[in-house]
Structures are given as C-alpha cells and as structure tokens.
C-alpha cells in the first residue's frame, strides 16, 4: 500500500488544544493493533515456531506407536537342487515375534512427547510476545519520529511567517536588518532539523514494514493515540510469573526431561519380545511359543541414565533462572509503567485549565504578538518557538513511553498483547 506522507501545515497562530491523531492522520493509517495482527498472521519467525509445534506433534505420534511384529518363515530338511531328498521329514515353521520394549516404554515416551508439545506451544506464545514487543517498539519509534517531523515542519512554516514579517518591516524601514538575518538563520536551522527528522522518519518507517509484511519503501503513517493507556492491575498471582509462556515452557521441559530419565531406566532390559507360531512336520501341525529377553549382565544404560538425569537437573536450573528473571521483569515493568502513567496523566490533564501543549501554543502566540508590538526582542520569539517544539516532542515522548511500558507490563505478566490492548485503551477512553 502507498499512502502519501501528510505534510502538516501550521498556521502562524497555533490552536489552543493538542493536535490529535484523528486530526492529522488519514483513515488508512496503521494502528498498533493492526501491526500486532499482521505479526500474528504471517511473521516468518512466528511461522517457524508454529512449525516446531507441528514437529513436536509428529514426535508424539511416533512415541505412541507400538513396535511392528517380526514375521519369520523357516523351512528345514528341504532337498538340495539335484540331490535326493533327505531321509528326514520336511519341517516348516511360521512364527511372529512382537517386541515388548515399545509397550512398557510407551507411557514415559508419550508423557515426554506431550510435555515437549506443551513446551513448543508455550515457546510459540513467547515468540509471539517477543515479536509483539519488538513491533510495538518499532511502531512507537515511528510515532515519535512522525511527531518530531510534524513539529519541525510546523516550526519551519511558522518561522517562514516571521521572516516574511521582518522582510516587510525592513523594506518599510521600520525594523533593523539584523532581525531579518537572525530570523532567516533560525528558519534555515529549522529547515535542517526538519530534514534530519524526515531521514529518521524514513528509517523508522522502513523498520516497521518488517512487521507489516510490506515493501521497505511503502508510504504510510501510524495512528498512535493522544491519551495514556489504562494501567493494568498486577495481581499477586501475576507477580509470580506463572502465566508467562517462557516459564511454562521451561516447566514443561523439566517434565519432559523427567520422562526421559524414566525411559532410559526402562531401557535396561532391551529387545524383550514374545514369539508365537506354528510348526508342521510329518503331516502334523503344532503350536510354538516363546519369549526372548537379554540377560542384563552388564549395565549398558548407566551412562544414558546419568545423561538424562543431568539434563533434567539442567532443565530445573533453567526453570529457576527463568522464574527469577520473570519476577524481576514484572516488578520493574510495573514500577516503570506506574511512574510513566502518573507523569503522562499530569501532562495530558486539562481539567484545571489549559493543558501542557495548549500552554506552549499560547506562549508562542503571546511572544509573537508582543514582538509585533515591539515589547520583546526577536530572541524571545525564537526561544518561545523552540520551547513549543521541544514541549510537543517531550509530551509525545513520555506519552508513547507510557504506551510501551504498559505493553511491556502485559508481556512481563504473560498476557496476550493483542487481546488485552483494546480493553486497556477503551478503559482509558481511547482506541489503540
């Protein structure tokens, strides 16, 4: 898809309310939910994780399959070609041997394979969460670059009007040419800054196309909203990290490794089988039956048991480490989300008068009006213009950081981002 980049023209006198995404973005702009849906639908790394789940299910099918019987047909006392038949009667035997080793190992093999399937499914969820947080960071990187580009272009357009005003006053002979030169220099500096921001915006947009399954040169905008997300509650159960897919995968791998130890222990007696068949000799058919079992004089499986036990211990240590990491990430993410939510809420709150961005707009408007009346020098107007741009960028930086922190908290708790994000956005009174 190709959506032309929207150039935001700024009036000399800015509006007194923050510019919202609904005002600036076209209906075809990409939302965070659309990015996450695109990732879930066809991201290659996620497809690879799903393929590993199918591979684990194939191993489960093999683990539950019993061994094939071995059929044997023997003939004894048959004459050699060109020789007289032997004086003994011909004997024909038909036997079938069923190996019992897969039968008594089936329980542990199936349990281990089932645990591997659960681990692979949990790995798929963890991979989806990991890719989702990467896509979220790419989305908000582009959103910040988009806001910075908006502000730079708006500032450049606003300074164009100041330059035009000073040029007219110089021609009339009522203003010093120094003010014109200074305003032109500041306008050119703003033009350079806008070009730098445009380059950063192009890089950020190309990075986001990786998660949208789009061409790197695709033209589109992102629709990030102008209000904080609702802060999710962290329950005592969530703080343990038990719902995190990486911890569930590690726990299932411990179970699979334990089943592997059981399988190796039952492999002490190998090639156990029963034989049933018939024997025909001298016109008489008789029944044959037997059992074959190796004598375990030497323990050939001692090393395999030790290896399986060590792998089980290693899986247990990996689980303990993952639980420790998960608890730390939950605590850190919750505190970061709380701090950013409080600050973003203060900046976005306009209930006690003008909001943060509205005050920046008003300061710039007042400075320009005072300059036209000759009450303040040009440098104060330029400072007000710079403060307006910095205030706008700072507001959206902390706002989008709050969005990222909430998504990071969801991932730390093991909550699916795509399903939880719309409810958090609606709870905050916005759409994601």
């Amino acid at each position: 898809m190709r959506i032309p980049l929207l150039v935001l023209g700024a009036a000399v006198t800015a509006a007194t309310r923050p510019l919202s995404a609904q005002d600036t973005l076209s209906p075809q702009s990409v939302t965070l939910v659309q990015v996450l849906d695109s990732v879930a639908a066809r991201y290659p790394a996620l497809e690879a994780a799903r393929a590993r789940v199918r591979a684990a299910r194939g191993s489960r099918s093999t683990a539950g399959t019993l061994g094939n019987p071995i059929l044997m047909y023997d003939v004894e006392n048959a004459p050699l070609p060109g020789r007289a038949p032997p004086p003994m009667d011909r004997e024909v035997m038909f036997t079938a041997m069923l190996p019992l080793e897969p039968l008594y190992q089936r329980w542990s093999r199936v349990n281990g394979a089932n645990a591997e399937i659960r681990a692979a499914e949990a790995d798929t969820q963890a991979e989806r969460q990991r890719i989702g947080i990467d896509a979220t960071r790419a989305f908000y990187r582009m959103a910040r670059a988009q806001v910075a580009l908006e502000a730079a272009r708006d500032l450049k357009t606003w300074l164009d009007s100041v330059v035009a005003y000073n040029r007219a006053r110089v021609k009339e002979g009522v203003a010093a040419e120094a003010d014109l030169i200074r305003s032109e220099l500041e306008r050119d500096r703003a033009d350079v800054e806008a070009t730098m921001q445009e380059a950063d915006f192009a890089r950020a947009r190309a990075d986001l196309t990786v998660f949208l399954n789009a061409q790197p040169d695709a033209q589109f905008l992102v629709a990030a909203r102008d209000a904080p997300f609702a802060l999710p509650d962290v329950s005592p159960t969530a703080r343990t990290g038990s719902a995190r897919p990486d911890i569930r995968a590690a726990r299932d791998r411990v179970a699979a490794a334990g089943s592997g130890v059981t399988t190796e222990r039952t492999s002490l007696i190998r090639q156990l089988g029963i034989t049933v068949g018939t024997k025909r000799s001298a016109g008489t058919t008789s029944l044959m039956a037997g059992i074959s079992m190796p004598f375990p004089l030497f323990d050939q499986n001692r090393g395999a048991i030790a290896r399986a036990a060590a792998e089980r211990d290693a899986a247990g240590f990996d689980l303990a480490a993952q639980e420790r990491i998960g608890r730390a990430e939950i605590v850190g993410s919750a505190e970061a989300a709380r701090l950013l939510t409080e600050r973003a809420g203060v900046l976005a709150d306009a209930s006690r008068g003008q909001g943060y961005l509205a005050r920046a707009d008003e300061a710039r408007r007042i400075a320009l009006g005072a300059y036209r009346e000759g009450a303040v020098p040009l440098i104060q107007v330029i400072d007000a213009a710079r403060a307006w741009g910095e205030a706008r960028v700072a507001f959206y930086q902390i706002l989008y950081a709050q969005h990222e922190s909430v998504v990071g908290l969801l991932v730390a708790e093991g909550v699916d981002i795509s399903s939880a994000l719309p409810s958090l956005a609606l709870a905050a009174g916005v759409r994601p």
Side-chain angles (χ1 to χ4, degrees), residues 41-89:
R42 49 187 182 272
Y43 194 74
L46 191 56
E47 291 298 322
R50 290 168 179 157
R52 285 188 283 271
V53 173
R54 295 195 299 271
R57 288 173 180 164
S59 298
R60 164 62 180 83
S61 178
T62 300
T65 304
L66 297 178
N68 291 318
I70 302 174
L71 303 179
M72 292 175 289
Y73 178 78
D74 295 331
V75 177
E76 296 183 5
N77 302 327
L80 290 173
R83 299 290 183 90
M88 296 172 290
D89 293 332

Side-chain angles (χ1 to χ4, degrees), residues 101-273:
E101 183 179 355
L103 185 63
Y104 61 78
Q105 288 184 350
R106 185 177 185 275
W107 178 80
S108 59
R109 291 184 182 276
V110 167
N111 284 345
N114 287 334
E116 289 292 349
I117 291 176
R118 294 193 300 271
E121 291 173 343
D123 283 338
T124 301
Q125 296 177 5
E127 185 70 7
R128 178 176 176 176
Q129 295 287 70
R130 184 192 65 79
I131 299 170
I133 195 66
D134 289 343
T136 300
R137 293 190 181 111
F139 177 87
Y140 283 113
R141 182 196 168 194
M142 179 176 170
R144 284 189 289 269
Q146 187 170 291
V147 168
L149 180 57
E150 280 182 24
R153 287 179 170 174
D154 186 285
L155 181 60
K156 191 263 182 185
T157 303
W158 190 84
L159 289 171
D160 279 338
S161 67
V162 176
V163 170
Y165 173 75
N166 283 328
R167 183 176 291 115
R169 285 171 57 86
V170 169
K171 288 182 178 179
E172 293 172 0
V174 295
E177 190 174 359
D179 281 357
L180 174 60
I181 296 174
R182 182 67 179 87
S183 59
E184 288 177 339
L185 288 174
E186 189 64 24
R187 188 268 317 273
D188 293 342
R189 186 204 64 80
D191 200 7
V192 170
E193 179 65 20
T195 302
M196 295 293 293
Q197 295 297 339
E198 189 171 2
D200 186 61
F201 175 79
R203 287 191 293 266
R205 183 172 55 193
D207 290 341
L208 188 57
T209 58
V210 174
F211 302 99
L212 287 172
N213 193 32
Q215 295 298 325
D217 59 349
Q219 304 294 310
F220 61 93
L221 293 175
V222 295
R225 299 304 175 175
D226 295 333
F229 286 155
L231 187 63
D233 295 329
V234 182
S235 63
T237 303
R239 287 188 180 275
T240 63
S242 57
R244 288 170 59 104
D246 52 353
I247 292 179
R248 289 191 284 110
R251 190 176 294 118
D252 288 328
R253 286 196 172 87
V254 173
S259 298
V261 174
T262 303
T263 301
E264 293 299 339
R265 286 175 177 169
T266 57
S267 296
L268 176 64
I269 301 177
R270 299 173 182 268
Q271 299 176 351
L272 179 64

Side-chain angles (χ1 to χ4, degrees), residues 403-416:
H403 290 185
E404 284 190 48
S405 69
V406 171
V407 174
L409 179 57
L410 294 175
V411 172
E413 292 179 359
V415 179
D416 183 69

Side-chain angles (χ1 to χ4, degrees), residues 230-375:
L231 187 63
D233 295 329
V234 182
S235 63
T237 303
R239 287 188 180 275
T240 63
S242 57
R244 288 170 59 104
D246 52 353
I247 292 179
R248 289 191 284 110
R251 190 176 294 118
D252 288 328
R253 286 196 172 87
V254 173
S259 298
V261 174
T262 303
T263 301
E264 293 299 339
R265 286 175 177 169
T266 57
S267 296
L268 176 64
I269 301 177
R270 299 173 182 268
Q271 299 176 351
L272 179 64
I274 57 174
T275 302
V276 177
T278 60
K279 178 179 179 181
R280 182 172 181 80
S281 176
T284 302
T285 302
S286 59
L287 177 67
M288 297 180 58
I291 184 171
S292 61
M293 181 180 69
F295 186 72
L297 181 62
F298 302 103
D299 188 1
Q300 297 178 328
N301 212 40
R302 182 182 303 172
I305 294 175
R307 175 188 57 78
E311 290 180 350
R312 180 193 57 193
D313 295 341
F317 289 129
D318 289 340
L319 172 60
Q322 198 63 49
E323 289 176 338
R324 184 178 300 182
I325 293 171
R327 288 192 295 268
E329 287 182 352
I330 291 173
V331 172
S333 298
E335 183 63 13
R338 183 188 67 82
L339 293 172
L340 291 170
T341 299
E342 290 179 358
R343 178 51 54 187
V346 170
L347 295 181
D349 186 13
S351 60
R352 298 181 180 179
Q354 288 183 327
Y356 178 72
L357 294 183
R359 292 198 303 271
D361 289 339
E362 184 68 10
R364 187 175 67 165
R365 186 189 66 79
I366 291 174
L368 181 60
Y371 174 69
R372 287 177 172 176
E373 297 294 331

Side-chain angles (χ1 to χ4, degrees), residues 352-403:
R352 298 181 180 179
Q354 288 183 327
Y356 178 72
L357 294 183
R359 292 198 303 271
D361 289 339
E362 184 68 10
R364 187 175 67 165
R365 186 189 66 79
I366 291 174
L368 181 60
Y371 174 69
R372 287 177 172 176
E373 297 294 331
V376 297
L378 177 64
I379 190 63
Q380 190 167 336
V381 177
I382 293 175
D383 287 342
R386 289 182 179 179
W388 175 89
E390 291 171 356
R392 189 169 190 81
V393 171
F395 173 80
Y396 283 103
Q397 280 182 341
I398 196 167
L399 177 65
Y400 295 156
Q402 191 272 344
H403 290 185

